[in-house]
Amino acid sequence: QVQLVESGGGSVQAGGSLRLSCAVSGYTYSSYCMGWFRQAPGKEREGVARIYTNDGSTYYADSVKGRFTISQDNAKSTLYLHMNSLSPEDSAMYYCAAAFGLYGYSCSDERAYTYWGQGTQVTVSS
C-alpha cells in the first residue's frame, strides 16, 4: 500500500521560509507525477506545484511562482516543497499527492492523484 507522509509545516512570520517534505513508501513502480496541494478554511483545494517524475519538469500556480520550488529526491523517495517569501495568504493545510496511473486524466487534473498524505499545516502571520 502506497503511503505519503508530510512533515515540515509550522508557524512562520510573513517573509519567512519553510520546507515541506513528503516521504513516499510502498510503491513498486514510479509515479507519473507528484504534486503539492493546499486548502485554506472555506476555500477549495488548489494545486500549488507538481513535478513530472520521468523528466523532473515542474509546474507552479501563478500565486506561488518564483517563491516556491518543488523537487524530488529519488534516492530518499521524498518530495519537497521549498517555500520562500511566505505571506498570510499562503496559510493552509498542505497535502502531497501522487499519480501512479492517470486513469484518463492529465497531471494537471486533481483527479489523477489517487494517493494523498494526511496534510501538514502552514500558518503565516503578518
Side-chain angles (χ1 to χ4, degrees):
Q1 180 72 7
V2 176
Q3 288 189 320
L4 284 67
V5 180
E6 303 100 332
S7 61
S11 297
V12 64
Q13 289 192 329
S17 300
L18 284 173
R19 186 185 76 165
L20 305 184
S21 300
C22 174
V24 186
S25 63
Y27 61 96
T28 56
Y29 52 93
S30 297
S31 60
Y32 283 96
C33 45
M34 296 195 66
W36 286 97
F37 297 79
R38 67 185 181 186
Q39 187 169 23
K43 294 187 177 180
E44 291 188 355
R45 188 164 58 192
E46 64 171 337
V48 173
R50 62 180 178 266
I51 187 165
Y52 293 80
T53 307
N54 62 339
D55 64 3
S57 58
T58 57
Y59 167 85
Y60 298 93
D62 288 342
S63 58
V64 306
K65 199 172 296 183
R67 300 187 298 121
F68 290 13
T69 302
I70 187 171
S71 63
Q72 58 185 5
D73 184 332
N74 291 329
K76 296 181 179 180
S77 299
T78 303
L79 181 73
Y80 299 102
L81 185 67
H82 300 256
M83 306 185 295
N84 297 319
S85 301
L86 286 163
S87 71
E89 290 69 35
D90 295 314
S91 296
M93 185 71 79
Y94 282 72
Y95 301 90
C96 68
F100 283 90
L102 297 180
Y103 306 106
Y105 303 113
S106 70
C107 287
S108 62
D109 192 324
E110 186 177 307
R111 291 173 292 183
Y113 298 84
T114 53
Y115 293 96
W116 293 79
Q118 81 288 350
T120 186
Q121 179 68 39
V122 172
T123 302
V124 185
S125 58
S126 58

